[in-house]
Amino acid sequence: MDKLAASLVLKKGREKPVVNRHPWIFSGAIERVEGRPEPGDLVDVVGKDGRFLARAYYNPHSQIRGRILAWDADETIDETFWRQKIERAITGRAALALEPATTAYRLINAEADGLPGLVVDKYGDFLVIQCLTLGIDRRKEMLVGLLADSLNPAGIIERSDVSVRAQEGLPEFKGLVWGEPPPSDWIVRENGRQFGVDLLGGHKTGLYLDQRENRTAVCRPHFVAGKEILNVFAYTGGFALYAAASGAGPIVNIDSSMAALTLAEKNVIGDGWERPLDEYIAGDAFEVLRYYRDEDRKFDMVILDPPKFAHSQRGVERAARGYKDLNWLALRLLRPGGLLATFSCSGRVSADLFQKIVFGAAVDAGRDVQIIQHLRQAPDHPILLTFPESAYLKGLLCRVW
Ligand code: SAH
């Protein structure tokens, strides 16, 4: 195999993460760039001694200068390479694909599936893709073609309207990139529950698919039947639908997005539940929780599924204060013996740190808190062992006295 025309030569002592198969090459690890690679071009990653370490795509505009595609010098990065990686990701979800109760799940989880920067979610007959890096953006047409070949969808929608694209020097984009557009009232199933999903206008790619297993775990009938539930950060009713199906008492749903709550109510009704006592409250969660505390209102279960609070390492401390405040408020609203299901999707807040934050909130609230289950992202969002950054969603199901 000929050497590529361009290479990233690493500084002395900076080879180890690459040898250990971490897929990112930070600008600070690079001693010099040899050749003249264009943004998105393939480059070899070599040690200071010239030894081949990996093959990556390159972006001079990003702090992550290289994202590794292969560690084998003989691997050619051609269309066959991309096709095989896509096929491997599909194979990993074969059990889900056979499950008629669930038609919406993640097919490709970027780095964790060996395809840095590419996210593909399946919503029944439609695929939604996110191109998070320049290397992927440049190959979009080819990748869309391969996805269409492998999966024969009705349409492929791109939802690259995410702010991380700016770090790659890319503008945001959303639109139909292949086939036909989805109907505005497209329905998918998740564990037998029916969700209407807005693939072009909703958050992320439409649903928070990473919470699928946790919705089941938290909303078991013996936890929720007949209970009063406060579903904070409700979005389009993910947890509410499961709780309704398990015979929950009144559910109070809070979200800052009116559009999300409108769809949440429609989804609960569409899934077959008549629930005249449920409430849908559009507002800031912190304010509503403080109001309930002042009113001395109590619940049997509180679900906290906030958006990402920490967007950078510098933001972690502030995020920790936000999580603590939120959990402290929730603990104050629970009846003795009630349940708290609390989550963080900030990758920078480790599971360990998150547990410590909830510990701090429990001490300040003066409540005894027992963890009864540790929760994680669903298995279609795999965590690559050599890439701990792919573990981002963590949660605790707690009994509160
Ligand atoms: N639990 C949901 C997903 C929640 S995502 C599910 O299972 O599908 C986070 C939600 O928090 C989003 O819907 C967003 O609109 C909402 N949100 C963000 N900031 C908020 C705030 N300050 N107060 C209330 N809701 C907020």
Side-chain angles (χ1 to χ4, degrees):
M1 172 77 214
D2 291 337
K3 260 180 69 120
L4 293 181
S7 46
L8 308 181
V9 182
L10 299 188
K11 289 178 183 159
K12 193 166 178 298
R14 301 300 286 266
E15 299 91 351
K16 190 148 180 229
V18 181
V19 171
N20 282 341
R21 289 185 169 249
H22 190 283
W24 290 351
I25 311 289
F26 287 99
S27 59
I30 299 171
E31 174 146 308
R32 63 178 190 281
V33 179
E34 284 183 352
R36 290 180 175 274
E38 294 286 319
D41 275 358
L42 296 173
V43 289
D44 278 349
V45 181
V46 300
K48 198 169 162 54
D49 57 2
R51 180 167 68 108
F52 174 93
L53 297 171
R55 194 153 289 141
Y57 64 69
Y58 173 65
N59 183 358
H61 306 302
S62 170
Q63 279 307 103
I64 303 172
R65 292 288 154 85
R67 305 220 185 205
I68 297 177
L69 298 167
W71 280 264
D72 181 348
D74 295 330
E75 183 96 72
T76 312
I77 314 292
D78 54 9
E79 209 172 294
T80 305
F81 167 88
W82 296 97
R83 186 188 297 277
Q84 284 171 350
K85 277 278 154 41
I86 290 171
E87 293 294 340
R88 194 182 84 168
I90 295 170
T91 304
R93 277 80 173 171
L96 261 175
L98 290 172
E99 182 55 72
T102 296
T103 60
Y105 51 90
R106 177 148 298 185
L107 268 177
I108 297 179
N109 195 31
E111 273 80 348
D113 276 306
L115 290 163
L118 178 66
V119 168
V120 181
D121 288 342
K122 181 174 161 67
Y123 289 91
D125 293 339
F126 292 89
L127 299 178
V128 182
I129 66 164
Q130 288 184 316
C131 303
L132 304 175
T133 59
L134 187 139
I136 290 297
D137 202 69
R138 232 187 72 175
R139 295 168 174 82
K140 184 171 94 179
E141 216 172 300
M142 181 255 309
L143 292 167
V144 165
L146 291 175
L147 287 166
D149 274 359
S150 299
L151 295 150
N152 195 26
I156 303 180
I157 297 109
E158 181 173 356
R159 288 297 305 269
S160 296
D161 47 333
V162 282
S163 57
V164 289
R165 295 244 310 180
Q167 294 168 23
E168 290 276 315
L170 294 168
E172 297 189 10
F173 173 80
K174 73 171 163 178
L176 183 73
V177 289
W178 193 87
E180 59 186 72
S184 59
D185 56 349
W186 185 239
I187 306 272
V188 294
R189 279 190 305 283
E190 193 189 88
N191 288 319
R193 310 266 61 84
Q194 260 197 184
F195 283 91
V197 47
D198 181 358
L199 297 180
L200 273 160
H203 296 179
K204 298 227 280 190
T205 63
L207 282 179
Y208 291 85
L209 302 169
D210 49 4
Q211 288 282 28
R212 184 177 57 255
E213 311 275 312
N214 298 332
R215 293 185 187 115
T216 304
V218 168
C219 300
R220 296 190 192 289
H222 61 273
F223 290 150
V224 302
K227 305 290 190 189
E228 265 184 79
I229 296 172
L230 181 60
N231 181 23
V232 193
F233 307 99
Y235 188 48
T236 55
F239 285 93
L241 244 73
Y242 283 64
S246 291
I251 305 170
V252 177
N253 298 284
I254 303 173
D255 202 282
S256 54
S257 161
M258 193 66 205
L261 287 176
T262 304
L263 188 49
E265 186 166 13
K266 211 172 144 201
N267 279 339
V268 170
I269 293 165
D271 198 43
W273 313 106
E274 256 183 69
R275 303 188 48 89
L277 297 180
D278 286 0
E279 294 175 50
Y280 295 88
I281 299 184
D284 173 60
F286 288 85
E287 277 177 31
V288 180
L289 294 192
R290 272 189 214 109
Y291 176 76
Y292 286 164
R293 177 201 57 191
D294 296 343
E295 297 278 293
D296 207 26
R297 195 160 167 182
K298 299 289 179 203
F299 296 89
D300 302 306
M301 176 187 271
V302 179
I303 300 164
L304 296 177
D305 185 19
K308 193 165 164 179
F309 283 173
H311 293 274
S312 64
Q313 196 52 41
R314 269 175 301 153
V316 169
E317 217 170 291
R318 203 160 158 252
R321 280 198 296 278
Y323 286 123
K324 184 172 172 192
D325 202 19
L326 196 60
N327 281 276
W328 177 79
L329 280 164
L331 288 167
R332 297 277 304 260
L333 301 179
L334 278 165
R335 298 194 173 101
L339 290 168
L340 173 68
T342 180
F343 296 94
S344 159
C345 61
S346 303
R348 310 236 175 212
V349 174
S350 67
D352 195 38
L353 174 58
F354 185 59
Q355 189 166 316
K356 287 193 175 108
I357 294 167
V358 179
F359 157 86
V363 170
D364 284 4
R367 305 294 299 258
D368 274 340
V369 176
Q370 302 166 312
I371 296 172
I372 57 176
Q373 197 175 344
H374 281 95
L375 303 166
R376 289 250 174 253
Q377 63 218 52
D380 48 327
H381 297 61
I383 299 161
L384 186 65
L385 208 48
T386 53
F387 182 55
E389 290 85 343
S390 51
Y392 66 97
L393 179 64
K394 74 281 316 173
L396 300 170
L397 180 60
C398 303
R399 177 83 64 191
V400 179
W401 300 97

